[in-house]
């Protein structure tokens, strides 16, 4: 028996008896197994280069330092809320009541109504298209929607909080500036400081110029960001002026209303779309559609955004848009120029091809451009697959052969029964010998027929219906198929020719692979897509001769299982090494720049990384335990950072802060912080997440996988399109539930913010919005006392405040805005600080109330004897 097991082992690892010698049988088996393991599992090493500057940029140290200082000064900040609070001004109260009354009535935003109508019209057409019909639909009169000031205000609300909103735009060239009329010049020069100083007058001016087809598109700034872990390569980002970004966002909102139903019906493109993301694509790649699909075509387009043909993009848009003014606006937008800094001076370029990376509407325009590839795969590539399936041989002869052997087996059984009956009554020896010989032949023939029947299929053994699954995320796409490498190569070549001939895009040879995912995983969006090597068990002869000429009739398996996903290990170790959590081989390292922070801040930072890692992969990979290695790296990096801070060892950290030390799965560290507020004492524990604790936590709270999976299958099996749950805090999308009502409130709040008087002098004339940057990265105690407006903005976590032109120019910027330090404001109380936080007072039910310490997780360990340690004005409860 043991010899059979040894030969089976050798057969599994493709070894022969000649590879070993009997004297050292088991030693050599161990050596062979080790060699096979090393060939199959190569050591995992980072391919990135560590850069300290990039690692510091990812740490967000300024934010965590500011929040830690603010928490330690909690009592002081609470007193500041009272000191800087203001009585209510009747003028502001009347304005807020006016907008609140409008919102409480049946009023709905006009542009939102039109967008919803366009969306519903295209939704009906998309559903008819799914049924095989060809409805004709015209999307026209779109320029008036773009030019509507309310839509521009909604677009401003959606992008004003973006990172880099205060980035400076480049200067136009003199020839372009000379061709501008007076209003174009005024808007251009005013937009040099946007969003700081923007007002309602600017939106109406933009609206007028768009209607006339005279909107002055500005020059963009080209900056280069280093690619993570690749020091020699940089990613070009083109930053347009802020007002251009507002118009681009308005264009994107209109395009989403038109094209979202068609993307939804196909349900194969998930990048840069409202209410879609990476997880939707992974759910599609691991759905039951992938059963038996063992070949993957990983596709990537070389310099995708920079090589888009602008004329072809306009042709694609004109298939569903018939408004010539709208198409002209997009054509003018695509005819952009950018300024790039160089040692010899600024260089100006006007590229003939490409969509600029950095534009607000660029990702969605590229999605529309790539929809031509989606349609090509759904039509011509699918026709090629159908042609292959139609050439499969007829299976009737195999069914006839099976039935023929069955009839022969029945005849043989009757003959055996007959011979046995005659043999029982025969007396002559010759007759008995003849009957026995016939009986033995019949039995042997019956056994042979039974053996043949075990290996005869009811259909052609090569009959396999070829199918494929296509999923795209922006310019990255993947095709999973059950065809062989030859079929995949043909499909890849068809796609390459289509991209080159029809879209003038080039398929990247370095990043486009055809892989057998049973052996090598396909990589997509940070996941590895795999397929089992073995499937359902079937009996199949194996042509392998063992010792003494024995034949092994082993059971083998075929395809039929679903593709499953796991974390992309190479990507993870690259990112971890790039951010400094480990070295090139994956050994945990400390972060020296974090050791200067408070211990609980260090734990909070690492917990954020651990939770983000788990929330991205939890539910979307087959084995959640595959994350244990990465959690170990983060935990040990945290402990080593604390050890460096306290100048001790990791064992010393566990001795000082360890908790649950007797439980290997829950062993971790805990730091308790005490906060004195008046006569009260609050405490809070910061516990470093362990693998088991975060798994138990996410099992109770994480429902992302179920919601994403339900969404995918509801679109596949029903006619459900849109109506995605609205996420509080985000700008409502056209596909969100109750879009019209929620976007109307957004429009009202934005209008109310621009209708506020100056927060310094109270005038209603020429009021605009003053913007500051990165308010959460500055500790409150570091803000100058001569800037009461900025202190109120910090207390309410707002980056804009209404100021008239005089106060804004003379008191804040002294006539010049540099985008860096602000000039000191004259010390004076604000008239009504509700103007800083208009949103909380327009819509009922969301009034501003900061969370208490208990709501933030703090526990009161000692209660004061007095009722209050601070005295509050009677109006403070409502305002603050």
């Amino acid at each position: 028996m043991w010899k059979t097991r040894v030969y089976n082992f050798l057969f599994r690892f493709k070894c022969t008896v000649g590879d070993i010698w009997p004297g050292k049988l088991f030693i050599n088996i161990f050596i062979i197994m080790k060699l096979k393991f090393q060939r199959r599992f190569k050591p995992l090493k980072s391919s990135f280069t560590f850069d300290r500057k990039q690692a510091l940029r990812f740490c967000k140290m300024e934010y965590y330092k500011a929040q830690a200082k603010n928490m330690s000064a909690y009592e002081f900040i609470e007193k500041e809320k009272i000191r800087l609070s203001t009585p209510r001004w009747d003028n502001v109260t009347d304005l807020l009541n006016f907008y609140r009354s409008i919102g409480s009535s049946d009023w709905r935003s006009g542009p939102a109504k039109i967008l919803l109508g366009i969306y519903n019209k295209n939704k009906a057409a998309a559903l008819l298209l799914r049924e095989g019909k060809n409805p004709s639909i015209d999307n026209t009169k779109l320029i008036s929607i773009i030019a509507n000031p309310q839509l521009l205000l909604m677009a401003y609300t959606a992008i004003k909080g973006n990172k880099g909103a205060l980035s400076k735009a480049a200067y136009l060239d003199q020839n372009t500036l000379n061709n501008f009329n007076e209003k174009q010049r005024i808007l251009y020069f005013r937009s040099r400081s946007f969003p700081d100083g923007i007002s309602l007058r600017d939106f109406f001016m933009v609206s007028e110029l768009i209607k006339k087809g005279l909107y002055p598109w500005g020059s963009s700034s080209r900056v280069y960001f280093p690619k993570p872990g690749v020091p020699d390569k940089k990613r070009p980002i083109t930053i347009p002026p802020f007002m251009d970004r507002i118009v681009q966002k308005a264009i994107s909102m209109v395009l989403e209303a038109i094209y979202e139903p068609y993307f939804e019906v196909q349900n194969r493109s998930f990048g840069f779309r409202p209410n879609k993301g990476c997880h939707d694509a992974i759910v599609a790649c691991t759905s039951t559609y992938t059963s038996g699909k063992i070949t993957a075509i990983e596709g990537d387009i070389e310099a995708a955004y920079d090589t888009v043909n602008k004329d072809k993009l306009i042709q694609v848009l004109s298939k569903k848009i018939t408004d010539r003014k709208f198409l002209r606006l997009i054509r003018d937008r695509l005819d952009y120029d950018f300024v790039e800094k160089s040692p010899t001076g600024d260089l100006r370029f006007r590229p003939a091809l490409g969509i600029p990376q950095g534009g607000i509407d660029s990702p969605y325009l590229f999605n529309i451009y790539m929809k031509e590839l989606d349609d090509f795969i759904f039509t011509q590539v699918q026709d090629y697959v159908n042609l292959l399936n139609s050439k499969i041989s007829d299976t009737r002869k195999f069914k006839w052969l099976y039935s023929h052997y069955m009839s022969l087996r029945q005849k043989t059984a009757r003959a055996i029964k007959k011979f046995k009956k005659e043999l029982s009554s025969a007396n002559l020896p010759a007759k008995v010998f003849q009957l026995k010989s016939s009986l033995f032949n019949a039995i042997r023939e019956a056994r042979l027929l039974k053996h043949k029947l075990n290996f005869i299929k009811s259909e052609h053994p090569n009959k396999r219906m070829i199918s494929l699954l296509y999923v795209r995320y922006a310019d990255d796409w993947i095709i999973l198929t059950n065809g062989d490498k030859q079929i995949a190569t043909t499909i890849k070549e068809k796609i390459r020719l289509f991209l080159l001939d029809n879209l003038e895009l080039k398929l990247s040879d370095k990043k486009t692979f055809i892989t057998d995912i049973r052996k090598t995983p396909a990589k997509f969006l940070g996941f590895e897509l795999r397929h089992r090597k073995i499937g359902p068990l079937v009996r199949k002869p194996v042509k392998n001769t063992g010792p003494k000429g024995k034949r092994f009739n082993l059971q083998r398996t075929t395809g039929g299982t679903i593709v499953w996903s796991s974390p992309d290990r190479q990507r993870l170790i690259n990112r971890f090494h790039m951010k400094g959590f480990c070295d090139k081989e994956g050994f945990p390292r400390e972060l020296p720049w974090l050791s200067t922070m408070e211990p609980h801040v260090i734990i909070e930072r690492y917990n954020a990384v651990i939770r983000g890692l788990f929330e991205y992969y939890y539910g979307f990979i087959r084995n959640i335990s595959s994350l244990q290695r990465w959690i170990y790296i983060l935990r040990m990096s945290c402990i080593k950072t604390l050890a460096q801070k306290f100048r001790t060892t990791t064992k010393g950290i566990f001795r000082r802060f360890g908790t649950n030390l007797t439980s290997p799965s829950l062993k971790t560290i805990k730091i308790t912080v005490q906060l004195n507020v008046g006569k009260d004492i609050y405490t809070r524990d910061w516990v470093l997440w362990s693998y088991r604790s975060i798994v138990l936590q996410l099992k109770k709270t994480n429902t992302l996988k179920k919601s994403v999976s339900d969404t995918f299958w509801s679109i596949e099996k029903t006619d459900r399109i849109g109506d995605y749950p609205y996420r509080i805090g985000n700008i409502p999308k056209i596909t969100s539930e109750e879009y019209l009502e929620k976007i109307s409130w957004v429009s009202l709040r934005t209008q109310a913010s621009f209708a506020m008087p100056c927060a310094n002098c109270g005038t209603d004339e020429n009021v605009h919005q003053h913007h500051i940057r990165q308010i959460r990265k500055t500790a409150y105690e570091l803000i100058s006392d001569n800037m009461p407006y900025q202190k109120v903005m910090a207390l309410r976590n707002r980056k804009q405040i209404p100021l008239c032109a005089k106060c804004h120019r003379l008191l804040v910027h002294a006539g010049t805005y540099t985008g860096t330090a602000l000039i000191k404001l004259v010390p004076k109380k604000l008239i009504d600080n509700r103007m800083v936080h208009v949103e909380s007072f327009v819509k009922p039910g969301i009034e501003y109330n900061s969370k208490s310490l208990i709501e933030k997780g703090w526990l009161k360990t000692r209660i004061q004897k007095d009722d209050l340690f601070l005295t509050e004005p009677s109006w403070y409860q409502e305002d603050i």
Side-chain angles (χ1 to χ4, degrees):
M1 180 62 71
W2 70 269
K3 290 184 179 180
T4 304
R5 292 180 179 177
V6 168
Y7 284 117
N8 283 335
F9 168 81
L10 295 175
F11 176 78
R12 178 183 176 187
F13 285 97
K14 299 180 181 178
C15 302
T16 61
V17 182
D19 294 333
I20 62 175
W21 56 93
K24 297 181 179 180
L25 175 65
F26 293 103
I27 296 176
N28 284 274
I29 288 176
F30 174 76
I31 294 173
I32 292 170
M33 184 173 65
K34 182 178 178 181
L35 291 174
K36 293 292 183 179
F37 183 85
Q38 289 178 351
R39 293 176 194 171
R40 185 175 177 185
F41 300 100
K42 296 181 181 179
L44 189 63
K45 290 186 179 181
S46 172
S47 59
F48 277 10
T49 302
F50 174 73
D51 188 350
R52 184 184 175 89
K53 291 184 179 179
Q54 291 190 37
L56 282 170
R57 185 165 58 90
F58 286 112
C59 268
K60 302 180 181 178
M61 291 181 60
E62 296 83 0
Y63 167 77
Y64 285 99
K65 284 182 178 179
Q67 297 306 309
K69 287 185 178 181
N70 289 341
M71 184 52 65
S72 61
Y74 178 81
E75 184 177 1
F76 169 71
I77 291 176
E78 289 298 312
K79 292 180 180 179
E80 285 290 286
K81 287 182 179 179
I82 296 174
R83 186 179 72 84
L84 293 176
S85 60
T86 58
R88 293 191 172 189
W89 187 27
D90 292 339
N91 188 12
V92 175
T93 303
D94 293 340
L95 281 170
L96 293 175
N97 289 336
F98 170 72
Y99 284 102
R100 182 180 293 184
S101 63
I102 294 177
S104 302
S105 63
D106 295 333
W107 179 88
R108 294 293 180 267
S109 172
K113 284 183 179 179
I114 299 174
L115 288 180
L116 189 60
I118 294 174
Y119 174 76
N120 290 330
K121 179 174 64 174
N122 286 276
K123 177 179 178 180
L127 292 175
L128 291 175
L129 195 64
R130 174 190 249 180
E131 297 174 359
K133 301 178 182 179
N134 190 17
S136 60
I137 186 171
D138 294 333
N139 294 288
T140 186
K141 298 182 180 180
L142 303 178
I143 197 67
S144 59
I145 307 173
I146 298 289
N148 194 301
Q150 285 188 22
L151 185 68
L152 295 173
L153 281 170
M154 288 190 290
Y156 161 79
T157 305
I159 69 169
K160 68 178 181 180
N162 289 358
K163 186 178 180 180
L166 291 173
S167 300
K168 297 289 290 182
Y171 284 100
L172 281 172
D173 62 295
Q174 193 61 39
N175 293 331
T176 304
L177 199 58
N178 292 336
N179 295 329
F180 283 172
N181 59 31
E182 183 180 357
K183 286 189 176 181
Q184 288 176 316
R185 286 170 177 264
I186 292 173
L187 180 62
Y188 168 72
F189 285 113
R190 279 190 51 77
S191 64
R192 291 285 305 152
S193 63
F194 287 164
D196 187 62
I198 197 169
S199 65
L200 283 175
R201 182 182 62 178
D202 299 316
F203 288 100
F204 283 100
M205 188 181 299
V206 171
S207 173
E208 180 183 351
L209 292 174
I210 289 177
K211 289 178 181 177
K212 295 179 179 180
L214 300 175
Y215 177 75
W217 294 97
S219 291
S220 303
S221 299
R222 173 66 64 90
V223 294
Y224 291 88
F225 289 95
K227 286 191 175 183
V230 187
D232 299 334
K233 293 184 179 180
K234 293 186 177 181
R235 187 186 305 275
I237 302 296
T238 307
I239 304 175
F242 185 78
M243 185 54 78
D244 287 7
R245 281 175 265 172
I246 293 177
V247 178
Q248 291 171 12
K249 181 61 180 178
I251 291 173
S252 179
M253 294 169 73
V254 173
L255 292 177
E256 288 173 1
I258 296 173
Y259 284 93
E260 269 307 296
Y262 302 100
F263 283 121
E264 286 276 277
V265 165
Q266 286 185 341
N267 202 26
R268 292 296 182 269
S269 173
F270 303 100
F272 301 104
R273 288 182 48 211
N275 297 301
K276 295 293 181 181
C278 298
H279 293 131
D280 298 87
I282 295 301
V283 164
C285 290
T286 55
S287 63
T288 54
Y289 290 150
T290 63
S291 177
K293 294 179 172 57
I294 57 176
T295 306
I297 310 173
E298 305 169 57
D300 186 85
I301 298 173
E302 188 174 320
Y305 281 78
D306 297 334
T307 54
V308 170
N309 188 295
K310 301 176 183 180
D311 295 331
K312 288 186 178 295
L313 176 57
I314 296 297
Q315 293 176 8
V316 172
L317 291 170
S318 61
K319 293 180 180 180
K320 288 186 170 58
I321 298 174
T322 57
D323 189 342
R324 289 180 295 177
K325 292 184 177 179
F326 179 76
L327 294 176
R328 180 184 173 186
L329 177 68
I330 295 183
R331 187 183 293 275
D332 293 341
R333 174 259 179 282
L334 293 175
D335 187 24
Y336 70 100
D337 68 327
F338 63 86
V339 175
E340 181 179 314
K341 293 184 178 180
S342 68
T344 58
D346 292 346
L347 302 177
R348 189 177 298 274
F349 300 92
R350 188 177 294 274
L353 298 174
I355 303 175
Q357 292 190 58
I360 301 297
D361 57 346
S362 297
Y364 207 81
L365 283 171
F366 185 77
N367 260 342
I368 296 172
Y369 194 65
M370 288 296 291
K371 192 177 182 302
E372 297 295 300
L373 174 63
D374 303 347
D375 297 337
F376 171 76
I377 291 176
F378 274 92
T379 54
Q380 298 189 38
V381 174
Q382 187 60 46
D383 291 343
Y384 165 71
V385 171
N386 295 338
L387 180 63
L388 291 178
N389 292 332
S390 65
K391 292 183 177 181
I392 296 176
S393 301
D394 191 6
T395 62
R396 287 178 295 178
K397 61 179 181 181
F398 295 94
K399 295 180 180 179
W400 172 86
L401 188 61
Y402 185 85
S403 59
H404 174 66
Y405 281 152
M406 282 295 295
S407 63
L408 289 178
R409 186 182 177 189
Q410 292 173 1
K411 291 180 181 180
T412 306
R414 288 195 296 267
I416 291 173
K417 187 177 180 180
K418 176 184 176 183
F419 291 146
K420 285 182 178 181
K421 185 177 180 181
E422 293 179 355
L423 186 61
S424 62
S425 60
N427 296 324
L428 297 175
K431 184 68 173 177
V432 170
F433 178 80
Q434 183 181 2
L435 289 173
K436 283 185 177 183
S437 178
S438 301
L439 178 61
F440 291 155
N441 290 334
I443 292 174
R444 190 174 72 173
E445 185 178 358
R447 290 177 178 177
L448 182 62
L449 288 172
K450 182 180 179 181
H451 183 71
K452 288 182 178 180
L453 283 171
N454 289 335
F455 294 98
I456 291 179
K457 296 184 178 181
S458 59
E459 60 182 17
H460 196 291
N462 293 328
K463 180 175 181 180
R464 178 177 54 190
M465 298 299 292
I466 305 299
S467 61
L468 56 86
L469 175 69
Y470 163 76
V471 178
R472 180 174 63 84
Y473 191 94
D475 59 330
D476 295 331
W477 51 268
I478 188 170
I479 292 179
L480 298 172
T481 178
N482 58 349
D484 55 17
K485 186 175 181 180
Q486 182 179 358
I487 295 175
T489 304
T490 305
I491 293 175
K492 173 189 170 183
E493 184 64 18
K494 287 180 176 293
I495 293 174
R496 186 188 69 81
L497 293 175
F498 172 80
L499 290 174
L500 190 62
D501 297 339
N502 295 73
L503 300 180
E504 296 186 7
L505 298 175
K506 183 180 179 182
L507 203 61
S508 175
D509 294 331
K510 295 182 180 179
K511 298 182 180 179
T512 303
F513 309 102
I514 297 177
T515 56
D516 185 346
I517 58 177
R518 295 174 300 179
K519 302 176 182 178
T520 306
K523 298 181 179 181
F524 191 57
L525 304 178
F527 291 81
E528 291 182 353
L529 302 179
R530 300 172 178 268
H531 194 286
R532 287 184 60 191
K533 286 188 177 181
I534 57 177
L537 289 173
V538 295
R539 294 190 64 185
K540 189 175 181 181
V542 178
K543 295 181 180 179
N544 180 50
T545 303
K548 298 182 181 180
K550 290 186 178 179
R551 180 181 176 84
F552 289 90
N553 290 327
L554 304 178
Q555 285 189 332
R556 284 292 173 264
T557 55
T558 60
T561 55
I562 299 173
V563 171
W564 53 277
S565 62
S566 62
D568 188 344
R569 299 175 301 139
Q570 187 63 51
R571 181 187 179 96
L572 281 175
I573 198 170
N574 287 344
R575 296 299 189 272
F576 276 41
H577 178 223
M578 176 191 66
K579 296 179 181 180
F581 295 129
C582 65
D583 59 13
K584 208 173 187 68
E585 284 75 23
F587 190 79
R589 293 181 56 184
E590 69 281 353
L591 297 182
W593 50 88
L594 281 182
S595 61
T596 59
M597 294 186 177
E598 296 294 329
H600 68 279
V601 177
I602 297 174
I603 292 181
E604 184 178 0
R605 172 62 187 144
Y606 275 95
N607 278 344
V609 179
I610 292 173
R611 188 174 185 90
L613 177 71
F614 252 87
E615 287 183 342
Y616 186 74
Y617 287 109
Y618 184 79
F620 298 93
I621 58 177
R622 187 177 70 170
N623 297 324
I624 194 66
S625 60
S626 59
L627 293 177
Q628 287 197 54
R629 173 182 182 179
W630 313 107
I631 301 303
Y632 167 78
I633 292 175
L634 292 172
R635 282 168 52 84
M636 289 307 299
S637 177
C638 177
I639 293 170
K640 286 188 174 185
T641 304
L642 290 171
Q644 187 182 63
K645 179 178 180 61
F646 292 102
R647 297 184 179 181
T648 182
T649 62
T650 56
K651 290 183 179 180
I653 292 296
F654 275 107
R655 282 196 300 266
R656 185 171 180 177
F657 303 110
T659 181
N660 296 329
L661 298 180
T662 59
S663 174
S665 60
L666 295 176
K667 178 182 176 181
T668 186
I669 58 174
K670 178 177 70 174
I671 293 178
T672 303
V673 179
Q674 179 177 300
L675 181 64
N676 298 328
V677 181
K679 297 180 181 179
D680 295 341
I681 298 177
Y682 293 85
T683 60
R684 183 180 174 184
D685 295 334
W686 270 265
V687 181
L688 182 63
W689 285 107
S690 65
Y691 169 78
R692 183 181 175 187
S693 59
I694 195 169
V695 166
L696 293 175
Q697 176 71 16
L698 290 183
K699 278 185 178 180
K700 300 176 182 177
T701 59
N702 195 303
T703 59
L704 180 61
K705 171 61 183 298
K706 185 178 185 307
S707 62
V708 172
S709 181
D710 292 346
T711 299
F712 176 79
W713 287 113
S714 63
I715 297 174
E716 290 292 313
K717 297 180 179 180
T718 65
D719 293 337
R720 175 181 178 262
I721 296 178
D723 294 333
Y724 295 104
Y726 169 66
R727 297 181 181 177
I728 298 175
N730 295 345
I731 302 298
K733 307 293 184 181
I734 192 67
T735 55
S736 300
E737 290 178 344
E738 301 177 0
Y739 164 76
L740 186 57
E741 179 183 356
K742 291 181 173 61
I743 199 67
S744 297
W745 276 114
V746 172
S747 179
L748 276 180
R749 294 199 300 265
T750 307
Q751 293 180 50
S753 298
F754 279 94
M756 290 292 108
C758 175
N760 182 59
C761 64
T763 181
D764 295 330
E765 298 180 0
N766 199 11
V767 178
H768 46 232
Q769 298 291 329
H770 166 59
H771 284 251
I772 62 175
R773 69 174 71 202
Q774 298 178 345
I775 195 168
R776 300 183 67 183
K777 294 184 179 180
T778 304
Y780 181 80
E781 61 184 24
L782 299 180
I783 301 175
S784 174
D785 292 334
N786 295 330
M787 296 183 180
Y789 77 96
Q790 197 166 347
K791 285 183 171 290
V792 172
M793 296 169 74
L795 290 174
R796 291 188 177 251
N797 193 25
R798 286 297 180 269
K799 296 195 294 185
Q800 66 179 32
I801 187 173
L803 290 173
C804 67
K806 183 177 179 181
C807 294
H808 187 220
R809 183 175 64 253
L810 299 179
L811 300 181
V812 177
H813 296 309
T816 304
Y817 179 67
T818 62
T820 55
L822 297 175
I823 308 301
K824 294 181 180 180
L825 184 66
V826 174
K828 184 176 181 180
K829 270 197 173 184
L830 300 175
I831 290 178
D832 191 334
N833 56 26
R834 284 180 298 170
M835 293 181 285
V836 185
H837 201 278
V838 173
E839 292 90 340
S840 297
F841 297 95
V842 173
K843 185 174 182 179
I846 59 169
E847 275 72 17
Y848 175 80
N849 287 308
S850 59
K851 288 184 177 180
S852 64
L853 287 175
I854 296 178
E855 292 173 334
K856 292 179 180 179
W858 293 80
L859 297 176
K860 184 181 290 189
T861 58
R862 192 176 75 192
I863 303 175
Q864 63 180 3
K865 295 182 180 180
D866 301 334
D867 293 336
L868 289 173
F869 68 93
L870 296 174
T871 57
E872 301 176 350
S874 59
W875 37 263
Y876 170 71
Q877 294 286 347
E878 296 180 351
D879 281 354
I880 304 295

